Amino acid sequence: MTTPASSANAPWLIVGLGNPGPEYAMNRHNVGFMAVDLLADRIGGRFKRASKAQAQVVEGRIGPPGPESRRVVLVKPMSYMNLSGGPVNALRDFYKVPVANIVAIHDELDIDYGTLRLKLGGGDNGHNGLKSMTKAMGADYHRVRFGIGRPPGRMQVADFVLKDFSAAERKELDYFVDRAADSVECLLAEGLERAQSAYNS
């Protein structure tokens, strides 16, 4: 298994999956954007348009000052969800990032709201953003799966993920997004197994 230490000289791409535009900002499908926005705030960065891809990026470091910190590029693809793989792959090439140094933060239907699951590789479970990324560069990247639960009643999945979090969900949303950002920092600092032990629930 690839650990942060084995690719210490390469940066990490931390990809928040979502759709661009204010009308999508609070959708369940945009929780990846929310998490990377928080990580950008934590490192004092501001997203700017990437010159090499249809994306917004922040470059910086995560972790304590010194050799233990990790160089990161926070990424928000601006291509819409089902075309996320193109911008991510272009940035992977530009920054010379191993696929195992990519983390995708995304919404997950088959997990209860607010629950996290971290893993390396695997299928896309019907998620169009993951499907696009896997088609572009293979499946061997890390995922932070943020549970949003299943749609109620007969609501279609597409309608559910493109709706805003409910009022009840928003009461805890900041806490859960904060925890997702924490899990990324733990993954980079201590490796996947430690992050899974601390944050998978």
Side-chain angles (χ1 to χ4, degrees):
M1 180 178 294
T2 300
T3 63
S6 67
S7 300
N9 294 325
W12 285 74
L13 288 186
I14 312 300
V15 181
L17 291 178
N19 288 307
E23 68 270 33
Y24 299 107
M26 291 303 297
N27 286 183
R28 294 181 178 93
H29 224 17
N30 270 45
V31 73
F33 275 19
M34 298 174 197
V36 292
D37 282 339
L38 178 56
L39 286 167
D41 286 344
R42 290 183 178 182
I43 66 174
R46 180 173 295 180
F47 279 96
K48 62 183 180 180
R49 187 174 177 179
S51 60
K52 302 296 182 182
Q54 190 178 357
Q56 293 183 356
V57 298
V58 171
E59 297 184 44
R61 302 192 79 89
I62 285 178
E68 295 302 312
S69 70
R70 304 295 177 195
R71 182 180 164 215
V72 298
V73 183
L74 307 177
V75 181
K76 293 195 291 188
M78 294 285 111
S79 56
Y80 291 95
M81 183 69 82
N82 62 352
L83 298 174
S84 300
V88 175
N89 201 38
L91 291 169
R92 179 184 72 85
D93 286 343
F94 178 71
Y95 289 102
K96 298 179 172 57
V97 176
V99 173
N101 275 31
I102 297 173
V103 182
I105 310 171
H106 64 92
D107 57 303
E108 178 61 61
L109 287 161
D110 287 336
I111 302 175
D112 290 341
Y113 173 61
T115 299
L116 295 178
R117 294 277 195 279
L118 283 75
K119 69 174 187 174
L120 175 63
D124 57 59
N125 202 25
H127 193 287
N128 286 332
L130 297 180
K131 191 177 297 184
S132 180
M133 286 182 60
T134 296
K135 183 178 179 181
M137 60 195 183
D140 295 330
Y141 52 91
H142 289 83
R143 300 102 187 277
V144 174
R145 305 159 72 203
F146 186 110
I148 60 170
R150 301 294 302 184
R154 297 184 177 181
M155 183 184 291
Q156 295 295 311
V157 166
D159 294 331
F160 180 67
V161 299
L162 292 176
K163 284 189 179 298
D164 290 356
F165 285 100
S166 69
E169 288 169 334
R170 285 197 298 272
K171 291 178 181 178
E172 296 184 293
L173 181 60
D174 286 348
Y175 168 75
F176 289 139
V177 171
D178 192 72
R179 196 163 179 270
D182 289 347
S183 77
V184 173
E185 294 184 347
C186 183
L187 170 64
L188 268 58
E190 302 184 55
L192 178 61
E193 290 184 7
R194 174 64 178 155
Q196 288 173 324
S197 176
Y199 291 96
N200 282 16
S201 53

